[in-house]
């Protein structure tokens, strides 16, 4: 109920800010604004979402799970180990190719990091981008990559992925107070939680689509598309953010691929190519 009341209050505030007439006493209305002077549009306007002189300076890379939280499991491999290898490969590619970009890791070893702390690392460092890498789980035949952004889940399957990834908070102390009563087992909690609209959704989707395309066309992986659901680690971050499901450890063929150095480097390379293209989208100039 507290979350519902809060969301209603936020909605009222948003309505008030977008509709000032609704807040004025009856009979009082502001005088109409004078017509704006006509201006010619620039001959070469910047693409939407590209501020003048913008530079992407800091990216936070997040290897999902770790320590006491091994994540999902294949026959012989744990999610926490696979994601760490992919993230370290991705970080090395960025550091080697883009010396002007600062790379920060939420973890570089097999340690447990709370979900809100992962996002807090990005927030404290004023990151321009947050990329979280995970592995998926499901029925044995299912395979393929997925790229997620924050948003309202549209299917029970999408809800299931968010519930599984968010359930790690059950291993944290005082998770109910830390996450304002959020229950990762409750569909209602996820619906309310997903109503928080991110100001960064446009660029989050831009990067997600770039990654999905890179996996399909550059890495040659089967993809299951760009999707949305309520992930705590994305909700808490105050910058464009994506969560990459690099494949299904429960599929034997995909597990073997993700556990191999060839597969890990290929997934990292696919994300790096997308990151480079996204950076170019916002900054202009040559794709690095």
């Amino acid at each position: 109920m507290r979350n519902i009341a809060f969301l209603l209050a936020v909605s009222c505030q948003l309505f008030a800010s977008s509709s000032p007439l609704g807040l004025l006493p009856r009979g009082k209305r502001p005088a109409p604004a004078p017509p704006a002077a006509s201006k010619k549009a620039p001959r070469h306007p910047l693409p939407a979402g590209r501020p003048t002189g913008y530079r992407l300076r800091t990216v936070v890379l997040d290897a999902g799970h770790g320590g006491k939280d091994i994540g999902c499991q294949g026959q012989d491999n744990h999610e926490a180990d696979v994601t760490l290898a992919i993230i370290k490969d991705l970080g090395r590619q960025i550091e080697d190719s883009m010396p002007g970009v600062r790379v920060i890791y939420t973890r570089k070893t097999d340690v447990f990091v709370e979900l809100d702390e992962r996002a807090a690392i990005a927030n404290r460092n004023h990151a321009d981008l947050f990329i979280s890498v995970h592995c998926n789980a499901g029925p044995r035949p299912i395979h393929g990559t997925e790229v997620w952004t924050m948003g309202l889940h549209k299917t029970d399957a999408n809800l299931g992925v968010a519930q599984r990834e968010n359930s790690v908070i059950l291993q944290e102390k005082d998770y109910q107070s830390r996450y304002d009563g959020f229950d990762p087992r409750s569909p209602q909690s996820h619906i309310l939680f997903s109503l928080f609209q991110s100001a960064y959704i446009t660029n989050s989707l831009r990067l997600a689509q770039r990654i999905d395309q890179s996996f399909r066309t550059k890495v040659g992986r089967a993809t299951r598309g760009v999707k949305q659901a309520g992930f705590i680690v994305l909700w808490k971050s105050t910058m464009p953010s994506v969560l990459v499901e690099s494949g299904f450890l429960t599929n034997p063929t995909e597990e073997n691929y993700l556990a191999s150095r060839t597969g890990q480097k290929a997934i990292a390379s696919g994300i790096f190519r997308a990151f480079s293209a996204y950076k170019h989208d916002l900054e202009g100039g040559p794709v690095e």
Side-chain angles (χ1 to χ4, degrees), residues 19 25 50 65 68 100 141 143 183 228 230 240 279:
S19 304
R50 185 197 291 175
H65 307 277
K68 64 182 179 181
H143 65 284
D183 182 357
Q228 291 181 288
K279 186 172 181 289

Side-chain angles (χ1 to χ4, degrees), residues 63-171:
H65 307 277
K68 64 182 179 181
D69 171 28
I70 62 174
C72 67
Q73 301 179 61
Q75 185 68 36
D76 302 303
N77 299 277
H78 298 151
E79 179 178 6
D81 300 327
V82 174
T83 61
L84 183 59
I86 293 172
I87 280 292
K88 290 168 80 172
D89 283 335
L90 173 59
R92 276 191 291 269
Q93 290 186 58
I94 296 174
E95 290 165 341
D96 291 345
S97 303
M98 302 177 179
V101 175
R102 182 169 60 132
V103 178
I104 296 171
Y105 302 84
T106 59
R107 69 181 183 97
K108 293 188 76 172
T109 58
D110 186 24
V111 295
F112 179 75
V113 183
E114 290 83 357
L115 288 186
D116 61 345
E117 175 58 19
R118 294 169 188 262
I121 290 170
N123 297 339
R124 285 196 299 268
N125 286 280
H126 307 289
D128 299 295
L129 193 62
F130 180 87
I131 301 174
S132 184
V133 172
H134 290 251
C135 299
N136 222 332
R140 188 182 176 96
I142 296 181
H143 65 284
T145 63
E146 297 172 344
V147 190
W148 295 81
T149 68
M150 184 69 183
L152 183 63
H153 63 269
K154 296 180 180 178
T155 68
D156 289 340
N158 287 17
L159 172 62
V161 174
Q163 285 179 314
R164 178 172 59 79
E165 296 293 2
N166 289 338
S167 66
V168 64
I169 70 171
L170 298 175
Q171 301 186 46

